[in-house]
C-alpha cells in the first residue's frame, strides 16, 4: 500500500486563491519498498485549476511508485492442482485436506488405508493406500512420479497428464477420455491397466500401446527372466512372449483383461476441470 504523509499543513482559501503552506520542510511519500523524500519549504497554488493540476500530479506520482514496487513482490508459483478428496493423506509432512493446493515438487503420500484425489487441469489423479507420488511438470503438462503403491488417473486429452515410474512414462494414447491404473511391484516392475481408452508406455524411444481393457506386467530390465504367472483355466494371456526383444527398453507380459469400476471412475473422472 502506498501512503502520502504530510506532518502538518494549513489551507487558507480566499475566493479564487488557495494557499497551502507546509509547517514542516519535508513531504514524505512511502511505498512498500521505497521512501521518496522531497524537500519543501512552502508552496502556493494560484488558482483552483492549479490546485486540481497539483492533485493530479501527486496522484500520478503515487501511482508510478506503486507500479514500480509491484514487480518486487514475486508472483506466487503456479499451482498444478488442488486436493478434492483426502483421507489419511499427506502433502509433504503436513496433513492433506480438501482445498490444499499442490505445486510442482510436492510429495503426496497416503497411509495404509488412506486415499487422496487431486484435480489438475483436464485430469484427475487418485493415490491409493500406502502409496507415494511426487508432482512435477512434463513439458507443459502436469505429471506425477509414482514411487510406491498404486495410482489411477483419468484424462480428457492426450496432453492432460503423464505418470512416471522409474524410467517408464505412462500417458493417454489419444484425445479420447482415458482411465489408467498403475501399480508399482518393485523398482523394476509395474502393472499397467487400461480401463477406458488406450495408454502408451514409453521408455526412451521404445513406445507401446496398451488397448482398452488390457493389463500388462512391465519389466524395466530387458534382461530379467520371464516372470512366472499362474497358468491354466481362466488365465488366457498370461506370460505372453516379449515384444521386440532385441530392441526393447523393457519387456511386458499380458496378464489378462481388466474391468475396474470405482467411485472415482463413475462419478469423478470426467467432470469439467472448471467445476468446483
Amino acid at each position: 500500500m502506498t501512503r502520502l504523509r504530510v506532518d502538518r499543513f494549513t489551507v487558507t482559501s480566499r475566493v479564487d486563491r488557495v494557499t497551502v503552506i507546509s509547517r514542516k520542510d519535508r513531504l514524505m511519500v512511502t511505498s512498500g519498498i521505497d521512501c521518496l523524500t522531497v524537500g519543501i519549504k512552502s508552496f502556493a497554488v494560484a488558482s483552483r485549476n492549479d490546485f486540481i493540476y497539483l492533485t493530479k500530479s501527486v496522484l500520478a506520482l503515487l501511482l508510478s511508485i506503486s507500479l514500480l514496487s509491484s514487480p518486487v513482490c514475486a508472483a506466487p508459483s503456479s499451482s498444478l492442482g488442488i486436493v478434492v478428496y483426502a483421507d489419511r493423506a499427506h502433502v509433504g509432512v503436513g496433513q492433506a485436506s480438501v482445498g490444499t493446493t499442490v505445486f510442482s515438487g510436492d510429495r503426496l503420500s497416503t497411509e495404509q488405508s488412506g486415499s487422496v484425489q487431486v484435480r489438475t487441469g483436464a485430469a484427475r489423479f487418485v493415490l491409493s493406500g500406502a502409496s507415494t507420488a511426487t508432482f512435477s511438470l512434463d513439458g507443459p503438462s502436469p505429471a506425477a512420479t509414482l514411487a510406491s503403491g498404486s495410482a489411477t488417473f483419468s484424462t480428457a486429452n492426450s496432453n492432460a497428464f503423464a505418470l512416471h515410474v522409474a524410467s517408464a512414462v505412462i500417458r493417454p494414447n489419444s484425445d479420447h477420455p482415458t482411465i489408467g491404473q498403475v501399480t508399482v511391484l518393485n523398482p523394476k516392475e509395474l502393472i499397467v491397466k487400461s480401463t477406458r481408452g488406450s495408454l502408451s508406455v514409453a521408455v526412451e524411444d521404445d513406445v507401446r500401446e496398451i488397448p482398452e481393457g488390457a493389463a500388462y506386467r512391465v519389466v524395466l530390465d530387458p534382461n530379467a527372466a520371464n516372470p512366472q504367472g499362474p497358468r491354466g483355466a481362466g488365465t488366457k494371456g498370461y506370460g505372453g512372449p516379449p515384444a521386440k526383444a532385441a530392441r526393447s527398453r523393457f519387456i511386458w507380459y499380458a496378464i489378462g483383461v481388466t474391468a475396474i469400476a470405482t467411485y472415482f471412475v463413475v462419478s469423478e473422472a470426467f467432470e469439467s476441470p472448471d467445476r468446483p
Side-chain angles (χ1 to χ4, degrees), residues 68-128:
L68 288 173
S69 64
S70 296
V72 177
C73 301
S77 302
S78 298
S79 64
L80 290 184
I82 186 170
V83 174
V84 294
Y85 174 81
D87 177 28
R88 284 161 286 188
H90 307 273
V91 177
V93 297
Q95 194 77 18
S97 59
V98 174
T100 300
T101 302
V102 177
F103 296 91
S104 179
D106 279 350
R107 177 178 175 270
L108 275 68
S109 60
T110 55
E111 299 175 18
Q112 187 66 37
S113 56
S115 177
V116 63
Q117 181 179 154
V118 177
R119 182 179 65 203
T120 172
R124 294 266 183 152
F125 176 80
V126 174
L127 198 60
S128 302

Side-chain angles (χ1 to χ4, degrees), residues 9-256:
F9 61 88
T10 60
V11 178
T12 304
S13 175
R14 289 196 184 96
V15 187
D16 63 347
R17 182 179 180 83
V18 178
T19 304
V20 181
I21 301 175
S22 172
R23 293 295 182 84
K24 295 289 185 178
D25 64 352
R26 288 182 183 273
L27 173 66
M28 180 171 291
V29 179
T30 305
S31 72
I33 58 167
D34 299 290
C35 181
L36 174 63
T37 303
V38 181
I40 298 177
K41 293 297 184 179
S42 65
F43 59 89
V45 182
S47 69
R48 289 175 180 173
N49 289 338
D50 288 342
F51 180 76
I52 293 173
Y53 174 78
L54 175 63
T55 303
K56 289 182 177 179
S57 298
V58 172
L59 291 176
L61 174 63
L62 297 179
L63 179 60
S64 299
I65 293 173
S66 65
L67 291 176
L68 288 173
S69 64
S70 296
V72 177
C73 301
S77 302
S78 298
S79 64
L80 290 184
I82 186 170
V83 174
V84 294
Y85 174 81
D87 177 28
R88 284 161 286 188
H90 307 273
V91 177
V93 297
Q95 194 77 18
S97 59
V98 174
T100 300
T101 302
V102 177
F103 296 91
S104 179
D106 279 350
R107 177 178 175 270
L108 275 68
S109 60
T110 55
E111 299 175 18
Q112 187 66 37
S113 56
S115 177
V116 63
Q117 181 179 154
V118 177
R119 182 179 65 203
T120 172
R124 294 266 183 152
F125 176 80
V126 174
L127 198 60
S128 302
S131 303
T132 303
T134 302
F135 271 79
S136 61
L137 277 172
D138 189 345
S141 306
T145 300
L146 183 64
S148 61
S150 180
T152 303
F153 64 89
S154 69
T155 61
N157 59 69
S158 60
N159 296 317
F161 190 78
L163 184 61
H164 296 249
V165 179
S167 57
V169 183
I170 301 97
R171 65 173 77 245
N173 197 45
S174 71
D175 285 330
H176 298 296
T178 304
I179 300 173
Q181 183 179 27
V182 179
T183 300
V184 176
L185 301 178
N186 59 57
K188 292 289 185 179
E189 293 183 66
L190 58 146
I191 292 176
V192 182
K193 302 177 182 179
S194 176
T195 303
R196 183 173 182 180
S198 62
L199 301 172
S200 74
V201 180
V203 178
E204 298 180 12
D205 59 348
D206 188 356
V207 182
R208 306 179 205 175
E209 178 185 351
I210 295 182
E212 180 174 329
Y216 281 82
R217 181 170 182 167
V218 177
V219 181
L220 298 177
D221 182 358
N223 298 317
N226 186 344
Q228 296 299 312
R231 298 178 181 274
T235 60
K236 182 179 179 181
Y238 280 91
K244 303 186 298 182
R247 298 166 45 205
S248 292
R249 303 291 183 181
F250 64 95
I251 55 178
W252 62 351
Y253 303 88
I255 56 175

